[in-house]
Amino acid sequence: MAAQAAKRINKVGFLVAMQEEAAPFIGALKLQKRAPHARAPIVVHEGSYKDAKVLVYSPGVVDGKSLVGTDAAFLTAFLAAEDGLDLFVNAGTCGGFSKRGGKVGDVYCCDEFKHHDRRVPIPGYDAMCVGHRRATPAPGLVSKLGLKTGLCTTGNSLDCSPTDAPIIEESGAVCKDMEAASLAHAAELSGTPFLAIKVVTDIVDGPHATQDEFLANLSTASKALQKV
């Protein structure tokens, strides 16, 4: 019984990169906006669900656009750790790969993370920059919700460049995004258990332009996140 009590999750933080992704979740749980952070543009909404405290973190907005990418994500996660979270979850969208069975609307619980655009061909630095971190195992969640699993590869561009493509292929990634690997790093530094739940908005190796498919499916995917 004591071991079970030690694992109880009382405070969960969700990092959602874009305001459009976060809005349905914030609305469904009726979360309240916290006062602005003194040192960063991050936006925090908080409230409760059942017996747990819930916090939703977004990196912020500049000129009406959500701050995206690894820099903003890492800073937000690092500051979120100050709240003493029991679990940190990256809830967001991603690109999928048809060659690995990915389809728009698929939901993944990513279990590994790497960077694909940190190319430093110096022994030791190469592995450090790519990184290879793992999520906290969640077999019960995966089984109950029927989620797909696999590696998420992270970079700072929405498209997939000819330089990035072979690196991503070699990694065997099933998801491509712009924040998860950096969030996994920040969670590791703070000792916070970490999960990443991703909904596919676009197919990286598909026939449509990434930005067009992403924008067309963003609203639907964002609403799907709150059902997970």
Side-chain angles (χ1 to χ4, degrees):
M1 293 297 291
Q4 291 180 348
K7 295 181 181 180
R8 181 176 177 80
I9 296 174
N10 295 308
K11 187 182 291 187
V12 183
F14 294 85
L15 187 136
V16 187
M18 299 182 69
Q19 298 291 306
E20 296 89 341
E21 295 171 328
F25 188 32
I26 292 168
L29 294 182
K30 297 180 172 57
L31 305 180
Q32 300 300 308
K33 189 174 183 179
R34 183 189 283 182
H37 195 281
R39 296 173 289 156
I42 70 170
V43 178
V44 184
H45 289 77
E46 55 190 340
S48 60
Y49 177 72
K50 295 185 178 179
D51 295 328
K53 173 118 176 163
V54 175
L55 301 99
V56 175
Y57 303 86
S58 295
V61 176
V62 172
D63 296 330
K65 304 300 180 183
S66 298
L67 290 168
V68 296
T70 59
D71 292 344
F74 187 87
L75 173 62
T76 303
F78 196 77
L79 294 175
E82 296 177 351
D83 285 321
L85 303 174
D86 299 314
L87 177 65
F88 193 48
V89 182
N90 175 210
T93 58
C94 70
F97 297 86
S98 61
K99 69 179 68 176
R100 298 194 176 90
K103 301 183 296 296
V104 171
D106 281 351
V107 184
Y108 287 85
C109 181
C110 300
D111 49 19
E112 298 179 77
F113 311 93
K114 288 185 177 181
H115 294 274
H116 59 256
D117 61 353
R118 294 181 174 180
R119 297 177 292 276
V120 183
I122 300 174
Y125 285 89
D126 48 3
M128 179 189 72
C129 291
V130 170
H132 187 186
R133 294 177 171 86
R134 299 181 184 276
T136 301
L141 178 69
V142 170
S143 176
K144 181 177 181 178
L145 299 181
L147 305 179
K148 293 186 172 184
T149 60
L151 185 143
C152 181
T153 185
T154 295
N156 276 304
S157 296
L158 184 64
D159 67 354
C160 182
S161 75
T163 302
D164 293 337
I167 298 172
I168 294 173
E169 176 66 22
E170 183 179 359
S171 75
V174 297
C175 297
K176 173 184 174 292
D177 82 341
M178 297 176 66
E179 69 268 349
S182 282
L183 296 175
H185 185 193
E188 179 181 85
L189 291 175
S190 66
T192 308
F194 177 72
L195 296 177
I197 306 296
K198 295 287 184 177
V199 180
V200 175
T201 54
D202 55 274
I203 301 301
V204 179
D205 55 348
H208 305 295
T210 298
Q211 64 272 21
D212 295 338
E213 195 170 19
F214 170 76
L215 291 172
N217 295 309
L218 176 59
S219 177
T220 300
S222 299
K223 291 176 182 176
L225 275 175
Q226 73 183 60
K227 299 177 182 179
V228 177

